[in-house]
Amino acid sequence: MPKVVSRSAVSSSTDAQPTASSAAALRVYYCICGEFILVIDTNLSALPRRQSDKSTIIRCRDSGSAAARVFKLNATPVDPVLIERNGGHERQYRFLCPRCTLPIGYQSTPPPSKSGPFLYILPGALTQMQGQLPQGALDDDDDES
Ligand SMILES: [Zn+2]
């Protein structure tokens, strides 16, 4: 009896395999509900944060000496909201977790993601450990008022 090997399964897994070097550098982030949200070429904690709301800043476009990050966002875009900021207003096009609809992040331009210069990830929204609370997820209740 010949051994049955599914050729399509073998070839597709080989094709989908990233090179060893790029796979090693990629980080995967999950919503606290466990849904896969983001894969990116760096550690989010190494990226700069906004002063206004402590969101992590992901650069989407090359600018001078700063190179854009390589990433893919798995989130649902929703209608923009207006945020009051230092007497002015800021329009945020938000992205929600496709499973639990928790807000993940936002950008200043209409979807799709990467249409603007930056994408912002809300503090405590994502974790690298599937099924675990991110560090600081419950910390910012105080400054909501
Ligand atoms: Zn979720």
Side-chain angles (χ1 to χ4, degrees):
M1 182 117 180
K3 201 170 167 185
V4 179
V5 176
S6 163
R7 208 194 309 160
S8 63
V10 171
S11 70
S12 71
S13 71
T14 311
D15 293 346
Q17 208 61 238
T19 64
S21 59
S22 73
L26 291 176
R27 312 290 174 113
V28 181
Y29 289 87
Y30 302 90
C31 177
I32 56 176
C33 75
E35 182 77 358
F36 159 71
I37 300 292
L38 177 73
V39 56
I40 187 168
D41 65 344
T42 188
N43 194 324
L44 284 189
S45 62
L47 293 177
R49 287 171 176 253
R50 292 189 79 181
Q51 278 196 328
S52 52
D53 63 3
K54 303 285 184 282
S55 291
T56 301
I57 304 169
I58 300 178
R59 181 177 288 278
C60 304
R61 295 192 177 168
D62 293 331
S63 153
S65 57
R69 313 277 9 155
V70 177
F71 68 94
K72 177 164 175 33
L73 182 73
N74 170 44
T76 308
V78 290
D79 288 341
V81 291
L82 273 182
I83 305 288
E84 251 183 79
R85 200 78 92 184
N86 299 329
H89 287 92
E90 174 182 316
R91 192 180 293 267
Q92 295 185 351
Y93 292 83
R94 293 194 164 169
F95 292 94
L96 309 184
C97 170
R99 188 194 291 179
C100 72
T101 68
L102 215 66
I104 298 301
Y106 59 90
Q107 62 188 15
S108 58
T109 50
S113 63
K114 304 191 187 185
S115 66
F118 303 107
L119 176 75
Y120 303 97
I121 300 295
L122 293 168
L126 299 181
T127 174
Q128 278 190 282
M129 303 287 283
Q130 194 169 11
Q132 279 196 19
L133 274 181
Q135 211 177 9
L138 303 175
D139 284 358
D140 50 8
D141 285 353
D142 296 340
D143 39 43
E144 293 287 297
S145 52

